[in-house]
Amino acid sequence: MSTASVASSARAPITHDSLPAWGPWAVVGGVLLAAVALGSATEVALGVLLLLGVVLSVGVVYVWSRAVEGSRRAKDRSVTIAVTASFLLAIAPLVSVLYTVLSRGLARFDAPFFTETARNVVGEGGGASHAIVGTLVITGVATLASVPIGIMAAIYLHEYGSGRLKKALTFFVDVMTGIPSIVAGLFAVALFVLFFGPGIRLGVMGAVALSVLMIPIVVRSTEEMLKIVPDGLREASYALGVPKWRTIVKVVLPTALAGIITGVMVAVARVIGETAPLLITTGVFSSMNSNPFDGRMSNLPVFAFNQYKFPGAIPEPYIDRAWAAALTLIVIVMTLSLAARLIYRRFGTDIR
Amino acid sequence: MMSPMTEPRRHFQQQLSELEASALGGLDLVLGQLDRALEALEHQDVELAQFVIADDDRLDGRYLEVHQGILSLLALQSPVAGDLRLVAALLHLIKHVERMGDQCVNIAKLIPLTGHEPPVREEILKKIVQMGRSARAEVVQCKRAFADRDVAMAEDLIARDRDVNLLNREIFRMAVEVGDDLDTREWAMTMILVARALERVGDNAVDIGEQTAFVVTGLFREFSDASNSGQR
Amino acid sequence: MSSAKSVEVSDLDLYYGSFHAVQNVNMTIQPNKVTALIGSSGCGKSTFLRSLNRMHELVHGARVEGSVILEGQDIYAPDVDPVAVRSQVGMVFQQPNPFPTMSIYENVAAGLRLNSRRMKKPAMDEIVERSLRGANLWEEVKNRLERAGSGLSGGQQQRLCIARAIAVEPEVLLMDEPCSALDPVATLAIEELIRELKVNYTIVIVTHNMQQASRASDITGFFNLEESGKPGRLVEIDETETIFSNPANKATEDYVTGRFG
């Protein structure tokens, strides 16, 4: 077989016709506009129409593109539209939640909300400063407890552990990642009841419950970060005659630090909004209490829950406070995530 | 990983064996030149002698061709170990080929000098022809020894060369004792030069034998007294 | 300055669990010489190299039989601390691996600092400069010692790793394919450096690049396995010139001339 014959007979030309750049967009836009129009004219739900519109435009673009450009590009274009649509579908709830929380939470997102407590407040006014402090203290204590335990457990699992013990521990960490949060709360209650008798409510009980939830997340994320520290760095350190524990402390941990911090932030964000375990461990309290070892302690999720669940005669101020508390939680989580990002940017290490 | 079918440098191996064939083919050219030079000498054929001189260009061409091939192999393929020894030996071999060709030309150039009807002494001419045959046999043998990597055969060249050297001395003695006739003496002196050229051909064949041993063993040694016996 | 030492390897066998990786190696690694180990992939040469400073022990289940005697002391004797062995037998790896959290200066000082040797700043400065000079890197980095080591080019990073290794003044320097991740110019620079380093160190280098072995080493050892699944063996070790001009063993000849991969 000669190359000439291949080129003249079988080879497709390397130039081809193509749809105009605006083509697919025009199809999608047109179909969706039609769907919106149809939705306002009839009783059919807009979401269903939009979904059908996406399916329809995928079909139209495929047929059109196939006629002009051939089947390979037609598939490419229709899959592009389908994937983009799926992405939009996935973030739609997120946008919706953010929008709702913002629009409804801003009503009471004012100075008194951050300075006053809910003590003796009936109807309008009052604030959630006690709950904010409570959330920060409880989460802070939980973090202080779970980060060292989690990181050291991860170091054990990745750097030292081997054989059955490691497998068993990994299994239990996985199981712990999946336990329902109420179980963690019940565990904390059961633990403290053992020592202090029934009816005990303490901030630190909430912290213990949250720790139970946090530790497996910290272990997992830290382990993942330790995994991506290249073995080459450990070997380089060993080859310099550095003992193992020093290698871990001085080389491995600093290299993984940014990632570990991010993991901790994720864990904090995961537990800071927990309601159920706090409801049964910290109790409901409307005054300022910043001592986790002294009686009941309020916090934002429980505060929001309570405001929503037990409104007064005029429910609006209560409902507004609940939304404002939800917004505050989101702001705290976002601030933490942002801080984590900044830390990563500032101290982050490129791990090859 | 050591399966015999994988030979990653097949192209290089092929180039190398082609180069060797080309260089050894040079020895065939030498044989042709030697045959014609001896025939021209025997029959005082000046015209045939001219052909020998003209045809030396082919040998020189072969020398340049092989030399160039060796240079590119060295530059592009970085041969090592056995391959490296072969390449180095081929470089020597082709030079010896070229020199043997030059000796044939030397003989051919001597033929017209003795005139149209030289006073030939048959007994000397017979020795010359005998010597030519021996030298020719040496060339054949060195070629086979090299191609077969046969060290024993290569070492046997020394014995052959000793015969050639003895003949050379004999011819020298006969020429010295040829008598007072001026023309005869001049012819006899020319025969000494022819004998010397043939002796040099033999030495070159021995040198190729040495290269054979080098390719096989990796050790270079001059074969016994091959180079210092006889007149140089 | 450190003094180069010879290494005497006797009847060394290496196993990963039940897998026999390297069989019965005997060799004397001569001081102030560059010894290159060549051989096809999987023949055990890297494993063997790592057994010279007990780095192979980082792999679970690896064990060694036989002895490796470094200047009169068997490094596999029961009372020997592998960590101490590694401070005498340094190592440079295939991928340049400067510590990413440390500056150029800290990288070179790492071996001393991580071993918590307290040292005055001028003394440390001197060691860092001497090591960087020794690795032919000083002139290129002297004005940016506080920058991150990972900002250097691949070849510079590898020389930084060499500087880091020689800062702790080992007697023997092991190099595991130190140039395989580098471009030709950086490779030649490292090879030149290896030639200079042998004045003070005993160097063992594993390489896949036979030209590199022929250019940079004095002694060459050829590892091979008879067939896959069998342990690797040291087939032949001799002067590099001999290995590449007239090896004694047929397998060596076939390998260096490229008759098998």
Side-chain angles (χ1 to χ4, degrees):
Chain A
M1 61 164 215
S2 71
T3 44
S5 71
V6 169
S8 59
S9 62
R11 288 273 164 77
I14 59 170
T15 59
H16 61 85
D17 299 326
S18 62
L19 299 186
W22 48 265
W25 300 109
V27 171
V28 174
V31 170
L32 293 185
L33 272 180
V36 169
L38 197 66
S40 53
T42 64
E43 292 291 292
V44 187
L46 185 60
V48 174
L49 285 173
L50 284 177
L51 213 61
L52 286 175
V54 168
V55 173
L56 181 66
S57 38
V58 166
V60 170
V61 168
Y62 182 79
V63 172
W64 185 20
S65 169
R66 193 185 166 107
V68 178
E69 306 174 308
S71 77
R72 185 169 55 81
R73 305 207 94 213
K75 276 180 206 148
D76 178 36
R77 286 190 189 277
S78 44
V79 169
T80 306
I81 294 175
V83 167
T84 312
S86 306
F87 167 70
L88 292 176
L89 194 67
I91 65 161
L94 179 66
V95 173
S96 167
V97 164
L98 270 179
Y99 173 77
T100 318
V101 172
L102 261 177
S103 61
R104 307 196 61 168
L106 280 176
R108 275 305 318 276
F109 204 68
D110 48 18
F113 189 80
F114 293 97
T115 51
E116 296 172 16
T117 68
R119 184 168 181 78
N120 299 330
V121 173
V122 178
E124 289 189 22
S129 64
H130 62 304
I132 294 172
V133 168
T135 284
L136 292 177
V137 168
I138 292 169
T139 317
V141 171
T143 308
L144 281 182
S146 27
V147 166
I149 296 176
I151 290 180
M152 284 196 271
I155 289 175
Y156 172 79
L157 284 180
H158 189 258
E159 307 284 335
Y160 288 94
S162 64
R164 283 203 175 161
L165 184 59
K166 178 186 172 176
K167 272 191 192 139
L169 285 174
T170 310
F171 176 72
F172 281 119
V173 168
D174 283 346
V175 170
M176 272 176 78
T177 317
I179 60 167
S181 54
I182 186 69
V183 175
L186 290 171
F187 163 76
V189 171
L191 182 69
F192 277 77
V193 163
L194 271 183
F195 296 102
F196 300 97
I200 181 79
R201 295 282 185 278
L202 289 173
V204 73
M205 281 169 71
V208 167
L210 294 188
S211 285
V212 172
L213 293 171
M214 267 184 90
I215 288 172
I217 307 176
V218 174
V219 171
R220 274 276 122 159
S221 59
T222 304
E223 216 187 329
E224 291 306 315
M225 292 320 292
L226 293 179
K227 268 183 201 159
I228 61 170
V229 171
D231 275 341
L233 295 181
R234 293 185 183 84
E235 289 187 337
S237 179
Y238 296 147
L240 293 171
V242 180
K244 184 167 183 173
W245 67 273
R246 274 189 167 275
T247 299
I248 291 168
V249 173
K250 300 273 183 164
V251 175
V252 177
L253 282 183
T255 308
L257 187 63
I260 293 174
I261 289 174
T262 311
V264 168
M265 290 300 172
V266 169
V268 168
R270 159 86 170 68
V271 300
I272 202 171
E274 281 295 344
T275 315
L278 294 184
L279 198 59
I280 59 173
T281 53
T282 62
V284 181
F285 197 49
S286 51
S287 300
M288 178 67 79
N289 173 18
S290 55
N291 185 352
F293 301 100
D294 181 20
R296 294 167 178 247
M297 199 169 179
S298 187
N299 51 77
L300 281 168
V302 172
F303 174 81
F305 171 78
N306 230 40
Q307 296 290 316
Y308 184 82
K309 185 76 184 169
F310 306 108
I314 312 158
E316 278 73 27
Y318 293 86
I319 304 293
D320 285 348
R321 279 198 291 270
W323 281 108
L327 180 57
T328 311
L329 261 182
I330 289 184
V331 168
I332 292 175
V333 169
M334 278 189 140
T335 313
L336 285 177
S337 307
L338 217 64
R341 272 287 157 83
L342 285 178
I343 289 170
Y344 198 90
R345 283 268 173 79
R346 174 67 183 80
F347 302 105
T349 317
D350 286 331
I351 297 177
R352 279 157 302 167
Chain B
M1 115 188 5
M2 285 172 70
S3 75
M5 50 177 281
T6 59
E7 199 162 307
R9 301 188 75 188
R10 203 159 38 100
H11 183 65
F12 163 68
Q13 294 302 335
Q14 194 186 334
Q15 274 184 310
L16 186 55
S17 57
E18 278 170 12
L19 203 57
E20 183 182 344
S22 181
L24 290 177
L27 285 171
D28 290 334
L29 293 180
V30 167
L31 287 176
Q33 291 285 76
L34 193 57
D35 285 344
R36 287 193 293 178
L38 288 172
E39 199 186 326
L41 185 73
E42 217 172 341
H43 303 296
Q44 195 57 36
D45 188 338
V46 176
E47 210 171 321
L48 189 55
Q50 288 305 325
F51 276 121
V52 171
I53 294 164
D55 267 3
D56 191 48
D57 284 352
R58 286 175 62 199
L59 262 173
D60 289 348
R62 179 65 63 98
Y63 172 79
L64 290 175
E65 189 186 307
V66 172
H67 188 257
Q68 191 55 48
I70 289 170
L71 281 190
S72 10
L73 271 191
L74 285 173
L76 304 178
Q77 300 280 3
S78 313
V80 292
D83 296 339
L84 179 62
R85 298 201 302 271
L86 178 56
V87 170
L90 288 179
L91 198 55
H92 280 281
L93 186 140
I94 198 63
K95 193 165 189 179
H96 291 309
V97 166
E98 195 262 349
R99 290 214 176 134
M100 289 188 204
D102 288 349
Q103 297 300 344
C104 295
V105 170
N106 285 346
I107 295 171
K109 279 181 177 167
L110 289 170
I111 293 169
L113 295 185
T114 54
H116 192 59
E117 289 272 322
V120 173
R121 285 292 182 84
E122 280 303 325
E123 70 271 19
I124 294 184
L125 191 58
K126 243 173 71 186
K127 289 280 179 204
I128 290 280
V129 171
Q130 188 189 346
M131 194 180 171
R133 273 196 216 106
S134 295
R136 186 185 197 283
E138 273 191 86
V139 175
V140 172
Q141 185 171 339
C142 82
K143 187 191 169 201
R144 264 188 65 195
F146 194 94
D148 298 348
R149 307 284 190 273
D150 188 336
V151 178
M153 190 191 279
E155 279 172 343
D156 183 57
L157 282 165
I158 302 158
R160 296 297 190 98
D161 199 47
R162 205 167 290 140
D163 296 345
V164 173
N165 288 339
L166 287 176
L167 280 170
N168 184 34
R169 245 176 279 173
E170 212 171 327
I171 290 167
F172 181 80
R173 194 175 36 76
M174 287 163 82
V176 169
E177 293 164 1
V178 80
D180 288 338
D181 178 53
L182 203 65
D183 281 352
T184 313
R185 228 158 65 190
E186 193 184 336
W187 178 84
M189 293 299 141
T190 310
M191 287 308 111
I192 290 178
L193 294 178
V194 171
R196 178 178 157 68
L198 290 173
E199 188 262 339
R200 292 297 300 136
V201 169
D203 284 351
N204 276 304
V206 172
D207 287 344
I208 289 174
E210 285 168 355
Q211 292 300 325
T212 306
F214 169 70
V215 169
V216 176
T217 64
L219 301 174
F220 184 82
R221 62 197 159 82
E222 294 221 347
F223 281 168
S224 61
D225 54 6
S227 55
N228 52 32
S229 69
Q231 318 172 354
R232 296 301 303 250
Chain C
M1 208 69 209
S2 56
S3 58
K5 290 184 181 173
S6 69
V7 183
E8 190 83 40
V9 180
S10 329
D11 300 323
L12 190 90
D13 280 74
L14 236 148
Y15 303 83
Y16 287 123
S18 60
F19 175 63
H20 197 172
V22 180
Q23 187 181 37
N24 196 31
V25 175
N26 287 286
M27 69 162 82
T28 303
I29 297 163
Q30 299 174 32
N32 299 107
K33 292 235 163 125
V34 180
T35 302
L37 304 179
I38 60 172
S40 40
S41 297
C43 66
K45 56 192 189 307
S46 277
T47 305
F48 170 74
L49 185 79
R50 281 161 180 260
S51 74
L52 296 179
N53 69 345
R54 298 183 67 165
M55 285 292 280
H56 71 285
E57 289 173 6
L58 302 176
V59 178
H60 190 70
R63 72 196 157 83
V64 149
E65 286 170 12
S67 67
V68 175
I69 293 167
L70 175 64
E71 203 80 344
Q73 172 62 53
D74 184 358
I75 65 167
Y76 284 101
D79 56 342
V80 167
D81 176 11
V83 172
V85 168
R86 290 178 202 137
S87 65
Q88 290 186 45
V89 185
M91 192 157 184
V92 175
F93 299 86
Q94 187 172 359
Q95 279 289 338
N97 52 2
F99 298 127
T101 52
M102 300 183 192
S103 68
I104 293 170
Y105 183 99
E106 288 166 337
N107 259 289
V108 180
L112 300 171
R113 282 198 181 154
L114 293 183
N115 283 317
S116 65
R117 267 198 247 163
R118 297 267 165 253
M119 197 169 272
K120 292 230 168 63
K121 180 96 167 75
M124 187 65 94
D125 287 349
E126 196 194 314
I127 289 177
V128 168
E129 178 173 345
R130 194 176 64 210
S131 305
L132 283 170
R133 280 190 193 281
N136 284 346
L137 191 60
W138 175 251
E139 292 301 324
E140 288 159 69
V141 301
K142 63 181 176 189
N143 295 321
R144 45 174 174 160
L145 290 174
E146 300 311 317
R147 300 254 198 96
S150 47
L152 299 173
S153 75
Q156 289 173 325
Q157 285 190 20
Q158 194 61 298
R159 278 181 280 152
L160 177 60
C161 292
I162 292 174
R164 182 177 65 187
I166 62 180
V168 295
E169 301 190 352
E171 278 98 22
V172 181
L173 206 50
L174 308 178
M175 300 189 173
D176 190 358
E177 295 179 46
C179 301
S180 62
L182 305 181
D183 67 57
V185 174
T187 298
L188 290 177
I190 300 276
E191 285 174 11
E192 198 58 38
L193 174 58
I194 289 171
R195 287 226 157 271
E196 289 167 20
L197 285 173
K198 75 171 177 177
V199 175
N200 293 312
Y201 304 94
T202 302
I203 296 175
V204 186
I205 172 172
V206 161
T207 178
H208 270 141
N209 181 338
M210 279 183 287
Q211 252 101 60
Q212 177 162 75
S214 63
R215 284 190 299 252
S217 75
D218 305 300
I219 309 284
T220 297
F222 170 57
F223 276 80
N224 195 16
L225 16 93
E226 274 148 10
E227 55 191 275
S228 57
K230 288 230 176 141
R233 291 180 306 116
L234 176 66
V235 175
E236 186 175 354
I237 183 163
D238 209 329
E239 299 276 336
T240 298
E241 202 188 312
T242 307
I243 293 286
F244 284 95
S245 66
N246 190 20
N249 190 290
K250 174 80 167 63
T252 315
E253 165 101 23
D254 285 349
Y255 185 74
V256 296
T257 55
R259 280 185 177 78
F260 71 83

